[in-house]
């Protein structure tokens, strides 16, 4: 579901909501209204807003957050400011002049004034785009002319061949024919989105005023603000899917094999360029022997130690003869002529030099076999062998870095790590992280009543850094639309992902959402999730600087610290994993779910929201035991300390009202197991 920000700036300007109603009450029951948004009279912004909602290719046809039909209202008149049609015409994959004709002919029957407004229809990708006048009456009259044929037109635009013949062959009928009600009934509700093009000049550059059940925006008066959020409460899994559908992997880059690679994901297989070991090497400390000599007393002729490169393999080094053995250390090259190694524990000293330094004769107590205790050339890694695969993460365990270095690989292809900007917002929030190392400077600012210490930014930055992310500290942003706009605009140009906390609830200072939509030209994909805590979690995309730049992701998380952290782990990190190049399983969507035994008291289930209960899990007697971290109020940051998991408790039903102690529960892992 796209943002539901259909609002108008002037009291008589109601075409957006009116059109929504028209589609929602259409007897075909074909339509699900996705979002309404307002766009200034700016050709680029109009084109961007419309394009961002269109299904541009076949792969996007099933994408729930994109639209089958986009309607724009306004900007179709005769003045120089009316540019909607010119803005959209270059985007049409196919113009639909007959739709426009149907609208004009029908509307002219109602009023000759219809001739004063242009209309324009076309297909962009597989989305039908209808541009109609801004007036309430004019827009709905035009739409009504083509509404009955629209479900069929959508289906036709989406058939694989792109021709309506395929559709007819399958038995679909045009509206009005006898089998219309059965075959032409859409499989799923068509997604509709209305873009209302508004004359920005008339608004003095200000964001238009919110009305009715529309989103709060910066210029709203306190008394006039909404009393209920207009954002639908999305199920958690739907919200996460929307996030991932709007997320793609970062560009690939070549990097030297270095320590900073921890957290990077390989974009190409890594191939060994050297054999490991590069020579026949001893696995133990002992004696290089000729196996067929068997047990017995032998003369010790020489020794090879690991790293003794000057002596080894030179012409002066004689071959080991039958009756001789040579001392050898772990990792040293095998003495020429020897074929196995006997470990020192399987031998005894028979004769030593007088000073006790040198071994002269040694008794070998066991029968060695050919190749015993020897690592052959390339037996750990062979030249040309794939040692790490595309999609593998270079972990903090250390093994991948070690493997790359051992295999003599100087550089690898990885997905660039996303650059993540983290900001707190709020006039009351006081910076309280102290990076000073000088004892005398280690102090915190005192708080006045009403002020709180910024706990979100330190928590999130610490967590993101520990995950190896490239983090930008964006500081604390005041609750003021101009500052928010300036800071977030800079942040989205610098970073691939921007995370803010605070300012997304129903207070009069909660300005993030309107700033995203009205000032940054962003699209809010959702503004609430049915979850406890973190209900107001908001996800938006902000267009890149130019056509070539990708959209930036903006996660506006709730201000309460536990909510912010839960949303970060459950909603933001899966997106960051996908951006980092991980191929996420559509089932688990980047989250790690485990079964655990609930080791705390019974928990009463919430009546309306599933709960993600902060807890600690530990392995005991063959099971994970999950223990609550205590009070779960979303302001209680301490409920996240010691937490390494979130237990999932569904919302209450008639049958299930409580999670009983000792019952099995699902938990999402968010930290490390200890
Ligand atoms: P808000 O969403 O801005 O209304 O904030 C909700 C609650 O979270 C308020 O009590 C805020 O004071 C608190 N809060 C907001 N930001 C932070 C922060 N960075 N650190 C700690 N608490 C915060
Ligand atoms: Mg606030």
């Amino acid at each position: 579901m796209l943002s539901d920000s259909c609002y108008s700036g002037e009291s008589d300007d109601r075409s957006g909501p009116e059109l929504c109603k028209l589609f929602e009450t259409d007897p075909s029951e074909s339509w699900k209204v996705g979002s309404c948004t307002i766009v200034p009279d700016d050709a680029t912004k109009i084109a961007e807003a419309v394009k961002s909602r269109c299904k541009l290719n076949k792969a996007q046809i099933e994408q729930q957050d994109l639209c089958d039909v986009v309607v724009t209202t306004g900007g179709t008149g005769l003045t120089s400011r009316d540019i909607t049609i010119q803005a959209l015409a270059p985007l049409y994959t196919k113009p639909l002049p007959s739709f426009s004709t149907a609208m004009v002919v029908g509307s002219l029957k109602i009023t000759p004034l219809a001739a004063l407004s242009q209309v324009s229809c076309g297909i962009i990708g597989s989305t039908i785009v209808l541009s109609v006048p801004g007036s309430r009456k004019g827009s709905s009259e035009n739409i009504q002319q083509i509404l009955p044929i629209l479900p069929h037109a959508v289906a036709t635009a989406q058939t694989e061949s792109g021709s309506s013949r395929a559709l007819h062959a399958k038995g679909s009928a045009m509206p009005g024919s006898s089998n219309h009600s059965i075959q032409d009934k859409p499989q799923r509700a068509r997604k509709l989105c209305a873009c209302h093009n508004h004359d920005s000049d008339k608004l003095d550059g200000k964001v238009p005023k919110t009305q009715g059940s529309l989103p709060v925006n910066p210029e709203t008066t306190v008394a006039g603000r909404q009393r209920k959020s207009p954002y639908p409460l999305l199920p958690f899994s739907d919200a996460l899917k929307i996030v991932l559908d709007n997320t793609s992997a970062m560009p690939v880059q070549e990097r030297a094999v270095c320590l900073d690679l921890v957290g990077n994901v390989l974009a190409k297989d890594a191939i060994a360029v050297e054999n490991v070991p590069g020579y026949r090497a001893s696995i133990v400390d002992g004696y290089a022997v000729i196996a067929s000599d068997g047990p017995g007393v032998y003369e010790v002729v020489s020794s090879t130690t690991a790293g003794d490169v000057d002596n080894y393999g030179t012409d002066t080094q004689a071959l080991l003869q039958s009756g001789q053995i040579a001392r050898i250390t772990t990792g040293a090259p095998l003495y020429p002529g020897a074929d196995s190694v006997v470990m020192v524990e399987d031998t005894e000293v028979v004769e030593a030099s007088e000073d006790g330094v040198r071994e002269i004769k040694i008794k070998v107590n066991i029968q060695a076999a050919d190749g015993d205790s020897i690592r052959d050339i390339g037996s750990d890694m062979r030249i040309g062998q794939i040692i790490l695969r595309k999609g593998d993460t270079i972990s903090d365990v250390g093994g991948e870095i070690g493997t790359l270095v051992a295999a003599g690989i100087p550089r690898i292809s990885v997905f660039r790590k996303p650059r993540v900007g983290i900001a707190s917002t709020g006039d009351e929030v006081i910076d309280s992280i102290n990076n000073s190392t000088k004892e005398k400077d280690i102090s915190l600012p005192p708080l006045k009543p009403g002020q709180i210490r910024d706990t979100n930014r330190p928590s999130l930055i610490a967590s993101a850094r520990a995950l190896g992310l490239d983090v930008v500290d964006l500081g604390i942003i005041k609750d003021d639309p101009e500052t928010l706009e300036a800071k977030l605009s800079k942040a989205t140009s610098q970073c691939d992902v921007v995370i803010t906390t605070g300012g997304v609830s129903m207070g009069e200072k909660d300005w993030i959402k309107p700033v995203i939509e009205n000032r940054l030209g962003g699209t809010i994909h959702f503004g609430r999730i049915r979850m406890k805590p973190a209900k107001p979690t908001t996800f938006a995309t902000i267009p890149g600087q130019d056509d070539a730049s990708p959209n930036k992701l903006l996660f506006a998380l709730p201000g309460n610290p536990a909510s912010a952290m839960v949303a970060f782990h459950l909603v933001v990190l899966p997106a960051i994993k996908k951006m980092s190049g991980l191929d996420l399983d559509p089932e688990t969507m980047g989250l790690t779910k485990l079964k655990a035994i609930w080791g705390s008291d019974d928990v009463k289930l919430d009546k309306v929201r599933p709960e993600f209960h902060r807890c600690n899990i530990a392995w005991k007697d063959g099971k994970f035991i999950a223990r609550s971290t205590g009070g779960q109020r979303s302001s209680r940051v301490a409920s996240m300390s010691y937490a390494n998991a979130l237990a999932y408790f569904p919302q209450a039903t008639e049958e299930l009202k409580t999670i009983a102690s000792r019952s099995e529960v699902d938990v999402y892992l968010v930290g490390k197991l200890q």
Side-chain angles (χ1 to χ4, degrees):
M1 180 80 184
L2 292 172
S3 83
D4 183 10
S5 56
C6 175
Y7 57 87
S8 52
E10 289 162 5
S11 56
D12 60 346
D13 199 352
R14 297 284 183 105
S15 55
E18 182 76 24
L19 284 180
C20 295
K21 210 160 96 200
L22 190 65
F23 278 93
E24 274 162 353
T25 55
D26 180 33
S28 76
E29 290 176 8
S30 297
W31 310 106
K32 187 170 138 203
V33 176
S35 73
C36 279
T37 193
I38 199 156
V39 186
D41 274 334
D42 172 317
T44 315
K45 291 212 168 106
I46 295 170
E48 264 170 17
V50 170
K51 206 170 150 196
S52 70
R53 285 149 173 87
C54 289
K55 300 182 169 181
L56 299 178
N57 51 44
K58 270 187 213 156
Q60 292 181 336
I61 288 183
E62 288 309 313
Q63 213 169 306
Q64 293 290 306
D65 54 322
L66 297 175
C67 303
D68 302 300
V69 174
V70 172
V71 179
T72 75
T73 66
T76 60
L78 303 182
T79 75
S80 60
R81 286 202 306 261
D82 294 313
I83 37 94
T84 303
I85 290 173
Q86 291 91 315
L88 297 181
L91 300 183
Y92 289 159
T93 339
K94 198 181 221 313
L96 295 174
S98 52
F99 273 56
S100 315
T101 309
M103 285 183 179
V104 175
V105 169
S107 301
L108 280 173
K109 283 187 195 147
I110 303 167
T111 169
L113 287 176
L116 288 177
S117 285
Q118 304 171 66
V119 289
S120 175
C121 307
I123 301 180
I124 300 177
S126 64
T127 296
I128 294 183
V129 180
L130 310 170
S131 297
V132 295
S135 77
R136 189 170 61 153
K137 189 165 169 296
S139 59
S140 70
E141 279 167 1
N142 276 298
I143 294 295
Q144 277 168 27
Q145 307 308 320
I146 49 108
L147 199 49
I149 57 161
L150 211 45
H152 182 78
V154 168
T156 309
Q158 293 183 355
T159 48
E160 284 226 64
S161 64
S163 99
S164 58
R165 241 176 286 138
L167 197 76
H168 292 308
K170 282 190 212 143
S172 178
M174 288 296 289
S177 71
S178 55
N179 59 353
H180 163 56
S181 60
I182 303 160
Q183 267 99 341
D184 203 44
K185 187 112 181 149
Q187 303 261 300
R188 60 185 163 79
R190 311 255 181 251
K191 186 77 178 261
L192 170 98
C193 155
C195 289
H196 183 77
N197 169 223
H198 210 292
D199 186 346
S200 49
D201 289 351
K202 276 187 223 154
L203 295 166
D204 256 355
K206 284 191 175 170
V207 180
K209 290 216 161 54
T210 298
Q211 298 202 353
S213 64
L214 303 168
V216 181
N217 70 52
E219 277 71 29
T220 305
T221 56
V222 181
R225 84 187 124 125
Q226 293 161 260
R227 305 271 141 189
K228 286 208 169 78
S229 170
Y231 292 92
L233 260 180
L234 290 197
F236 173 73
S237 55
D238 289 8
L240 187 50
K241 184 166 184 311
I242 289 174
V243 169
L244 296 179
D245 284 346
N246 281 282
T247 303
S248 36
M250 299 298 297
V252 172
Q253 56 178 195
E254 290 269 302
R255 292 281 305 277
V257 171
C258 65
L259 304 182
D260 292 350
L261 286 179
V262 172
N264 273 110
V265 176
L266 268 83
K268 283 190 195 147
D269 294 348
I271 314 252
V273 293
E274 290 172 4
N275 283 318
V276 183
Y279 52 86
R280 291 194 91 197
S282 175
I283 293 175
V284 295
D285 292 320
Y287 297 87
V289 303
I290 296 168
S292 57
D293 277 358
V297 176
Y298 294 95
E299 175 197 0
V300 181
V301 290
S302 178
S303 68
T304 46
T305 52
D308 184 8
V309 288
D310 294 338
N311 190 30
Y312 180 74
T314 57
D315 290 345
T316 56
Q317 197 178 26
L319 285 183
L320 193 72
Q321 303 295 318
S322 180
Q324 298 177 328
I325 60 174
R327 203 147 50 77
I328 193 164
T329 60
T330 305
L334 189 65
Y335 199 95
D339 58 18
S340 63
V341 175
V342 173
M343 59 202 273
V344 73
E345 290 88 336
D346 292 326
T347 64
E348 292 163 36
V349 179
V350 174
E351 187 184 337
S353 60
E354 274 182 19
D355 56 8
V357 172
R358 227 162 29 83
E359 296 168 340
I360 296 172
K361 283 195 176 149
I362 290 292
K363 184 172 171 221
V364 173
N365 293 332
I366 58 152
Q367 172 66 57
D370 191 359
D372 267 3
S373 296
I374 293 172
R375 286 190 299 144
D376 270 321
I377 292 173
S379 56
D380 285 358
M381 281 186 267
R382 263 186 345 276
I383 291 178
Q385 187 185 344
I386 298 175
I387 50 149
L388 292 175
R389 293 194 180 271
K390 177 178 180 219
D392 286 349
T393 304
I394 300 179
S395 74
D396 61 1
V397 173
E400 294 80 13
I401 289 275
T403 303
L404 290 165
V405 172
I409 297 174
R411 68 179 69 81
I412 52 167
S413 281
V414 292
F415 294 96
R416 180 162 76 71
K417 280 185 203 167
R419 170 169 280 212
V420 183
I422 298 178
S424 286
T425 73
D427 291 341
E428 78 283 28
V429 178
I430 304 299
D431 190 9
S432 300
I433 336 182
N434 197 323
N435 291 320
S436 175
T437 48
K438 292 198 192 112
E439 181 58 34
K440 69 176 174 49
D441 296 336
I442 302 178
S443 64
L444 292 179
L447 296 182
K448 297 186 184 122
Q451 291 182 325
I452 51 158
R453 302 210 181 274
D454 177 14
T455 55
N456 293 345
R457 195 169 50 101
S459 312
L460 299 184
I461 291 179
S463 178
R465 282 205 184 133
L467 293 166
L469 298 175
D470 175 10
V471 180
V472 180
D473 180 354
L474 299 171
I476 299 170
I477 310 178
K478 288 271 169 220
D479 286 323
D480 150 67
E482 272 69 41
T483 317
L484 277 166
E485 178 187 354
K487 296 255 170 141
L488 293 182
S489 165
K490 184 159 175 232
T492 49
S493 68
Q494 276 183 340
C495 305
D496 306 298
V497 180
V498 173
I499 303 167
T500 63
T501 63
V504 283
S505 316
M506 299 294 291
E508 67 265 32
K509 284 187 173 182
D510 291 334
W511 285 341
I512 299 262
K513 284 170 171 144
V515 165
I516 290 173
E517 287 200 313
N518 305 329
R519 310 267 178 124
L520 302 175
T523 303
I524 295 183
H525 298 273
F526 57 78
R528 291 195 305 162
I529 306 180
R530 190 180 290 283
M531 65 190 287
K532 180 184 171 185
K535 184 168 83 168
T537 299
T538 297
F539 168 62
T541 46
I542 311 289
Q545 305 289 73
D546 50 61
D547 276 355
S549 329
N551 280 348
K552 305 303 180 79
L553 306 190
L554 198 159
F555 293 91
L557 309 183
N560 271 315
S563 309
M565 269 181 268
V566 167
F568 174 75
H569 285 282
L570 293 181
V571 183
V572 183
L573 284 185
I576 287 180
K577 284 184 186 166
K578 187 167 175 191
M579 293 177 93
S580 305
L582 285 179
D583 196 5
L584 302 186
D585 175 348
E587 278 283 302
T588 54
M589 295 197 277
L591 298 173
T592 306
K593 193 157 88 171
L594 304 167
K595 295 273 181 212
I597 301 299
W598 186 241
S600 292
D601 293 343
D602 294 1
V603 177
K604 216 169 138 214
L605 295 177
D606 190 278
K607 291 206 180 73
V608 285
R609 286 181 285 163
E611 181 188 350
F612 292 90
H613 193 109
R614 280 86 80 194
C615 62
N616 179 275
I617 61 169
W619 188 252
K620 196 157 181 260
D621 302 333
K623 289 188 173 91
F624 281 117
I625 308 294
R627 289 203 175 80
S628 172
T629 52
Q632 296 286 304
R633 204 187 263 171
S634 56
S635 58
R636 190 174 165 262
V637 63
S639 64
M640 274 307 282
S641 71
Y642 192 53
N644 61 357
L646 299 165
Y648 177 81
F649 296 151
Q651 73 196 66
T653 59
E654 272 310 308
E655 297 75 43
L656 186 70
K657 295 198 161 41
T658 317
I659 292 291
S661 184
R662 309 307 305 167
S663 57
E664 192 182 60
V665 294
D666 285 334
V667 299
Y668 290 95
L669 194 64
V670 296
K672 294 205 164 155
L673 291 166
Q674 270 164 358

